[in-house]
Amino acid sequence: MTQPIRILLAKVGLDGHDRGIKVVARALRDAGMDVIYTGLHRTPEEVVTAAVQEDVDILGVSLLSGVQMTVFPKILKLLANQGAGDMIVVAGGVMPDEDVAALKAMGVAEVMLQETPPQAIIDTLKRLVVERGPR
Amino acid sequence: MSHYVPSRDLIARVAAGETAATARLITRAEKGLPEARDALAEIYKRAGRAHVVGITGVPGSGKSTLVAVLAGKLRTRGVKVAIVAIDPSSPYSGGAILGDRVRMTELATDPGVYIRSMATHGVVGGMARAALDVVDILDVAGFPIVILETVGVGQDEVDIARASHTTIVVSAPGLGDYIQAIKAGILEIADIHVVSKCDRSDANFTLRDLKASLMPSPASGPSPWIPPIIGTSAVKHEGFDELIEAIDRHRAVAFDPDAGNDRRRHIAGFRLLKTAENLLLDRFAASVDNRAAPLIALLARREADPYSLATELLEPTNAEDKSR
């Protein structure tokens, strides 16, 4: 039996805009994925705890508030501490190009900015899971 | 890139209560990996201590909210709680949006709480296929109580009662009248009835209708357990002490060496038959893979009838079984 890709989508911090992440959640569901959504205003600790308990293939964090250089290092460190350093982490939202490069350098697998078509997001996520291999 | 840890090696880490290992073994159980079967067999033998509490009810009756508050109350008493929350998969894409965690944010970082969301992946009956394996894993991981929350169910998805020690059926005000309450089906499976949203003024009618319809039936004979009806309000945090007291009382009955014996045998029987059914379905799916399409075409053109074609479809499978 093949199991769908499991992904947790999260909004972290004071950013209250969830229209985009809900559109993405719906698109991923329609692509056959199991999407866990945790709601607005989560802390990095809450998101990482949820992702580890749910053992998702991918943790996707959407940020429109500019705090990516604070949030992602924290998330990556917490994941490693909780024995889930191999989890695929992706970022979405609006952020400057130099931050994108820095995030990828620290271990974020992919950064998908505004205007990324849903199909491109789906293809990217599927590719990342295939590249990771069985677990 | 990733390093595959054999499922057998995860058992000791699960038993030590390690979250990441527990979560990973659950993933493998969900995937139905042959590699994990040995480990799950070992888990089954070690399990059996946890009190499995099933929570079911129609969509929107307040199951997730009830579970969140109930788990919070149990935590204040120092009890570790695991929650398995099942949501429906899309019948079209197979995907799912699992949103129960949105209602459980207060439990989000409590290390004494483990929450796992599962999708039904096309299984009817209100539960996901691997749900019972998952319950056993959480049992071995040291959770004395495992709450199994079904999808929002209709009137006759009653599998949960065959899988849990204690079944709680949640009814909400405004969803049905006396006639709904006396229908056969889901209300009959309750060990404990909860009427949620009792902060609403019309909750009294729901409580009244339930009480009237659940008067002991002359046909039921003497029973050691009469299902209590408990009103709760998650907003006001009311009724939960009474609910926990009822759960504890029912646990004593369910785990009693004599009184609980029938129930445990029923649960084991359900588990055995359900597992056999799943194995048969897998074999069937594998054997009909290519052969169904031409028969479907015949059927759609009404050139043959469903019974004859279904019999034809089953025949090679029968032959395979005989040769085994």
Side-chain angles (χ1 to χ4, degrees), chain B:
Chain B
M1 166 179 166
S2 73
H3 165 63
Y4 190 95
V5 181
S7 297
R8 278 219 142 261
D9 297 353
L10 292 173
I11 297 176
R13 289 165 59 191
V14 170
E18 204 183 300
T19 305
T22 304
R24 180 58 47 87
L25 192 56
I26 288 175
T27 303
R28 299 213 179 133
E30 268 203 287
K31 285 186 175 159
L33 291 183
E35 186 272 332
R37 204 165 279 170
D38 261 9
L40 292 176
E42 175 65 25
I43 290 283
Y44 184 82
K45 285 186 215 152
R46 292 195 192 191
R49 280 167 301 172
H51 182 197
V52 183
V53 177
I55 299 199
T56 191
V58 299
S61 55
K63 293 180 294 298
S64 300
T65 306
L66 181 90
V67 168
V69 179
L70 175 62
K73 296 279 179 196
L74 287 166
R75 288 301 296 143
T76 62
R77 296 167 187 226
V79 182
K80 284 173 72 184
V81 189
I83 298 165
V84 180
I86 305 171
D87 268 334
S89 296
S90 158
Y92 299 112
S93 71
I97 298 213
L98 309 169
D100 289 311
R101 278 185 175 271
V102 175
R103 317 220 187 288
M104 300 180 186
T105 53
E106 282 174 31
L107 310 169
T109 53
D110 182 342
V113 178
Y114 180 96
I115 306 171
R116 182 74 174 210
S117 315
M118 292 182 82
T120 54
H121 297 141
V123 175
V124 293
M127 287 204 298
R129 190 161 166 171
L132 301 181
D133 287 327
V134 173
V135 168
D136 287 338
I137 295 167
L138 293 167
D139 184 334
V140 172
F143 292 94
I145 180 160
V146 181
I147 298 176
L148 188 54
E149 179 197 336
T150 71
V151 297
V153 297
Q155 293 176 316
D156 65 353
E157 291 109 324
V158 297
D159 278 0
I160 188 75
R162 305 194 184 105
S164 49
H165 300 113
T166 302
T167 304
I168 299 175
V169 176
V170 185
S171 304
L175 291 177
D177 58 6
Y178 177 71
I179 293 301
Q180 292 297 341
I182 59 171
K183 281 184 184 170
I186 187 163
L187 285 176
E188 287 180 284
I189 65 171
D191 299 306
I192 298 169
H193 287 278
V194 165
V195 174
S196 62
K197 311 184 191 186
C198 275
D199 41 283
R200 282 176 45 159
S201 59
D202 51 347
N204 277 335
F205 298 114
T206 310
L207 281 165
R208 183 200 63 197
D209 286 349
L210 257 182
K211 279 178 184 155
S213 69
L214 295 172
M215 298 242 275
S217 135
S220 63
S223 160
W225 180 262
I226 295 162
I229 300 168
I230 296 166
T232 61
S233 163
V235 185
K236 296 185 173 171
H237 281 228
E238 282 170 6
F240 285 89
D241 289 336
E242 205 185 340
L243 177 57
I244 290 174
E245 189 264 330
I247 293 171
D248 282 345
R249 268 196 300 131
H250 191 262
R251 183 191 192 284
V253 175
F255 278 80
D256 183 272
D258 298 320
N261 198 31
D262 275 0
R263 179 94 179 209
R264 285 192 298 275
R265 285 184 68 97
H266 276 128
I267 292 172
F270 174 73
R271 187 75 175 268
L272 179 64
L273 294 180
K274 202 75 191 169
T275 309
E277 183 185 314
N278 287 337
L279 287 176
L280 269 181
L281 284 173
D282 283 351
R283 277 189 209 164
F284 179 67
S287 84
V288 301
D289 233 5
N290 306 312
R291 296 183 305 114
L295 302 184
I296 291 168
L298 279 178
L299 190 61
R301 291 197 299 269
R302 293 194 182 265
E303 288 169 13
D305 70 288
Y307 291 102
S308 313
L309 293 178
T311 309
E312 193 181 328
L313 198 57
L314 282 172
E315 261 160 18
T317 314
N318 289 338
E320 279 164 30
D321 284 348
K322 275 172 203 152
S323 70
R324 245 182 211 113

Side-chain angles (χ1 to χ4, degrees), chain A residues 1-109:
Chain A
M1 217 173 71
T2 55
Q3 201 69 11
I5 291 174
R6 279 171 78 81
I7 180 165
L8 188 139
L9 291 180
K11 293 289 295 186
V12 175
L14 294 175
D15 174 1
H17 301 86
D18 61 356
R19 179 77 58 91
I21 201 168
K22 284 179 173 165
V23 170
V24 173
R26 177 73 191 267
L28 299 183
R29 184 202 80 178
D30 290 344
M33 299 185 195
D34 282 353
V35 183
I36 295 152
Y37 180 56
T38 52
L40 285 169
H41 308 311
R42 301 277 74 86
T43 65
E45 287 80 3
E46 287 171 345
V47 166
V48 166
T49 303
V52 172
Q53 290 182 356
E54 299 285 1
D55 191 31
V56 288
D57 296 292
I58 303 164
L59 168 58
V61 177
S62 153
L63 281 176
L64 300 168
S65 57
V67 292
Q68 55 275 1
M69 298 315 289
T70 315
V71 164
F72 280 99
K74 208 163 178 185
I75 285 178
L76 293 169
K77 190 168 163 235
L78 287 165
L79 278 172
N81 289 348
Q82 297 195 22
D86 63 345
M87 191 176 290
I88 301 166
V89 177
V90 298
V94 182
M95 49 194 82
D97 292 343
E98 58 266 33
D99 285 3
V100 172
L103 289 173
K104 284 190 170 178
M106 72 177 70
V108 173

